[in-house]
Amino acid sequence: MSGIDKENDLPLLIAEGLTKHYGRQLGCRDASFELYEGEVMAVVGESGSGKTTLLQMLSTQIEPSAGRVLYRMRDGAVQDLWTMSEPARRFLLRTDWGYVHQDPQMGLRMGVSAGGNVGERLMAVGNRHYGNIRATAADWLGRVEIPQNRIDDTPRTYSGGMRQRLQIARNLVTAPRLIFMDEPTGGLDVSVQARLLDLLRRIVSEMRIAAIVVTHDLAVARLLSNRIMVMKGGEVIEAGLTDQVLDDPHQPYTQLLVSSILPA
Amino acid sequence: MKTAMNALALTDVTKTFTMHLQGGLRLPVLRNVTFDAAPGQCVVLTGPSGAGKSSVLKLIYGNYRCDEGSILVSAGGSTVDIAAAAPREILSVRQRALGYVTQFLRAVPRVSALDIVAEPLMSKGVARDEATSRAAAMLKRFNVPERLWSLPPSTFSGGEQQRINLARGLLPEHPILLLDEPTASLDANNRAVVVDIIRERKQQGAAIVAIVHDDAVREQIADAAVDVTHFATAA
């Protein structure tokens, strides 16, 4: 009917009723959605709205109190992430997924050279040839606009923007199918943010990677994502196409968020 | 089979905005909007400013959510009801079949004018080289100086940005085109370029819904007129 081939078009990731309580405190309640290959979904909301809790449950960093996450593996088998073995889950995280932290120090090895940071992910998926690893690492540093002559320097000597770009290269070098990003432009200068966003937008669309981006910045959501979920008080209160939700918000809180943006 | 023949069919489309920050104020803008557009036909929306003409286009594009009614879009042998479709179905229809052109360019930092124009073609699956050369031809047609092509348009004049946006929106040969004042504030030469392209698209079988304030342009492109004040609600 719609031009989308429904037989062969299955979600990459399915979240079903994801709920997390911290003691008696609610972190996230009953979040459900499906994410398809190549889709970029933004999760927006203020601090404490539950968006980071949701991201951590999806990426298996914290175990949900209720609900489950299903993921379609490269071989087509759909697996429940919390019934997989710990090693299988770790392997998935290292190869098929990426995770871009707000603070690049969390996602990089600060004492290892830039080339080593990127090469390490390649070795984790079985690459052993030093020359190939170095060439691929150099190629990726170029794609994220890090000069070739900085490949042997450690990220300690890099600016914040360069560190963030290096973290992105480290994540994308294994051609993951899904990438999680937690405030990827947080803490960067506006001009550095624009460069990073443009880079992310281009790479994600060229590689057709699915992405879930947590941000409190609606401009970031508009630029990067096709779909959006708005969270408040641990619940998803509104979801849809990004331009639809931002141009025609229905919920009082979403209207407040949209109207709070200062015009540029 | 009315819907099979029309590229676009709106039936009883109703839209009300509820402004929660103004104490839940309800602003009914459109009620029972019903019209259709056949392939090769250009329907012009008329009515005074504020009647809801742009809202009609935004509803068809899926940018505004429809409260009631249906918006059937037919292209490539399939029909989608935009009013009820999932986000990814709307995205797919936009990519394949639905062009939406306004006067305003939403500039993306650091992306060149040429790439901005070529992008919709590439997302339709056209190879980069071909998309780029067709984009270049379109920019030339709109008299955008070649020295600007490799620059991001954020620093361009309003008129230059508008022409880049028109080139971007009119380049992919979408079966359905939504045009929101495409010729506003253009000079006579570029206005004529827009009229020529619209005529070409009609000949290729595109169904077009347009808002045009310029009477001369309207007469040159319109096959039918729909007065939106008929659907305006007495607010």
Side-chain angles (χ1 to χ4, degrees):
Chain A
M1 262 289 275
S2 61
I4 293 169
D5 179 358
K6 291 201 166 138
E7 291 278 301
N8 298 306
D9 190 53
L10 300 166
L12 184 64
L13 181 135
I14 302 172
E16 287 179 352
L18 285 178
T19 299
K20 180 70 187 176
H21 293 279
Y22 298 104
R24 284 160 59 191
Q25 184 68 35
L26 175 70
C28 178
R29 190 200 331 254
D30 203 19
S32 299
F33 65 91
E34 294 178 345
L35 187 77
Y36 289 78
E37 264 167 276
E39 278 190 323
V40 179
M41 186 170 77
V43 183
V44 302
E46 61 200 0
S47 308
S49 60
K51 55 191 197 300
T52 299
T53 298
L54 176 61
L55 193 73
Q56 288 176 335
M57 285 192 284
L58 293 168
S59 58
T60 71
Q61 294 177 68
I62 56 173
E63 189 163 358
S65 314
R68 59 181 190 161
V69 184
L70 301 176
Y71 185 74
R72 185 162 51 82
M73 312 294 279
R74 283 183 196 249
D75 64 8
V78 175
Q79 295 242 28
D80 181 339
L81 292 177
W82 287 104
T83 61
M84 282 168 77
S85 69
E86 177 74 18
R89 206 155 56 218
R90 282 187 174 282
F91 185 73
L92 187 71
L93 202 57
R94 276 206 312 267
T95 57
D96 219 26
W97 289 7
Y99 195 101
V100 175
H101 297 265
Q102 175 175 1
D103 178 359
Q105 294 196 46
M106 303 270 294
L108 291 171
R109 301 226 286 157
M110 297 305 285
V112 173
S113 73
N117 263 288
V118 178
E120 190 180 43
R121 283 266 297 196
L122 284 172
M123 287 166 66
V125 293
N127 281 284
R128 287 294 174 266
H129 187 281
Y130 176 78
N132 292 348
I133 290 171
R134 191 174 164 88
T136 308
D139 175 52
W140 264 97
L141 292 178
R143 288 174 74 168
V144 298
E145 301 171 12
I146 290 172
Q148 292 287 321
N149 63 3
R150 301 295 304 273
I151 186 170
D152 295 319
D153 297 345
T154 66
R156 281 206 186 92
T157 68
Y158 280 17
S159 68
M162 281 174 76
R163 287 180 187 179
Q164 197 55 297
R165 297 203 301 278
L166 177 61
Q167 192 191 183
I168 287 163
R170 176 177 160 98
N171 272 283
L172 295 184
V173 70
T174 55
R177 293 193 299 158
L178 174 62
I179 184 160
F180 299 97
M181 297 188 237
D182 187 5
E183 303 277 6
T185 60
L188 297 176
D189 290 340
V190 176
S191 63
V192 178
Q193 271 192 28
R195 182 177 186 182
L196 189 76
L197 283 174
D198 172 41
L199 200 91
L200 274 175
R201 198 180 68 92
R202 193 176 313 171
I203 293 176
V204 166
S205 103
E206 278 173 9
M207 297 177 72
R208 278 191 57 75
I209 304 172
I212 297 174
V213 186
V214 162
T215 180
H216 67 276
D217 187 337
L218 297 187
V220 169
R222 200 188 269 278
L223 202 62
L224 278 184
S225 70
N226 332 105
R227 288 171 56 189
I228 194 167
M229 291 200 319
V230 182
M231 294 191 70
K232 183 175 190 288
E235 297 189 49
V236 176
I237 56 163
E238 189 159 7
L241 278 177
T242 302
D243 64 278
Q244 203 175 55
V245 171
L246 296 183
D247 292 341
D248 182 14
H250 284 194
Q251 292 297 316
Y253 176 70
T254 315
Q255 292 187 355
L256 179 66
L257 267 187
V258 170
S259 68
S260 304
I261 303 171
L262 296 172
Chain B
M1 282 293 287
K2 186 179 158 190
T3 55
M5 285 172 54
N6 288 312
L8 182 67
L10 283 76
T11 309
D12 292 333
V13 169
T14 295
K15 178 68 185 168
T16 298
F17 289 103
T18 305
M19 323 287 276
H20 291 286
L21 305 182
Q22 277 76 40
L25 177 71
R26 285 170 53 83
L27 279 180
V29 282
L30 294 163
R31 195 170 54 200
N32 298 338
V33 179
T34 302
F35 71 91
D36 40 48
Q41 186 188 29
C42 177
V43 176
V44 170
L45 303 180
T46 62
S49 183
K53 301 187 295 295
S54 292
S55 294
V56 171
L57 295 190
K58 287 178 178 178
L59 284 160
I60 299 170
Y61 195 62
N63 180 227
Y64 283 175
R65 286 177 275 192
C66 180
D67 300 333
E68 287 169 43
S70 69
I71 302 169
L72 300 182
V73 168
S74 302
S78 69
T79 300
V80 176
D81 182 2
I82 296 288
R88 51 197 303 274
E89 288 178 303
I90 297 178
L91 282 176
S92 163
V93 171
R94 285 181 184 177
Q95 204 175 70
R96 291 180 294 117
L98 208 50
Y100 174 48
V101 185
T102 67
Q103 318 168 47
F104 305 107
L105 179 69
R106 196 185 282 278
V108 177
R110 296 207 317 147
V111 181
S112 75
L114 191 62
D115 284 348
I116 285 177
V117 177
E119 192 190 26
L121 275 188
M122 289 192 286
S123 64
K124 280 184 100 171
V126 176
R128 174 174 280 274
D129 285 354
E130 193 198 331
T132 307
S133 73
R134 282 166 64 184
M138 201 59 155
L139 284 171
K140 193 169 274 176
R141 208 169 164 184
F142 274 108
N143 307 301
V144 178
E146 199 163 340
R147 62 189 160 78
L148 297 180
W149 294 1
S150 60
L151 303 174
S154 47
T155 56
F156 294 3
S157 75
E160 284 160 351
Q161 292 197 13
Q162 184 188 359
R163 280 179 280 147
I164 283 158
N165 203 42
L166 286 169
R168 172 185 163 93
L170 292 172
L171 180 59
E173 290 158 11
H174 288 305
I176 297 164
L177 272 178
L178 311 171
L179 309 176
D180 194 342
E181 298 201 46
T183 57
S185 70
L186 284 183
D187 62 27
N189 281 340
N190 286 305
R191 216 160 41 229
V193 172
V194 173
V195 169
D196 280 349
I197 294 173
I198 291 173
R199 284 178 164 162
E200 286 170 23
R201 293 291 177 268
K202 279 168 64 176
Q203 271 165 17
Q204 290 162 347
I208 298 173
V209 183
I211 301 168
V212 193
H213 284 300
D214 186 311
D215 291 336
V217 172
R218 187 163 56 224
E219 274 167 31
Q220 287 174 286
I221 63 170
D223 301 300
V226 171
D227 186 352
V228 175
T229 46
H230 291 323
F231 310 119
T233 53

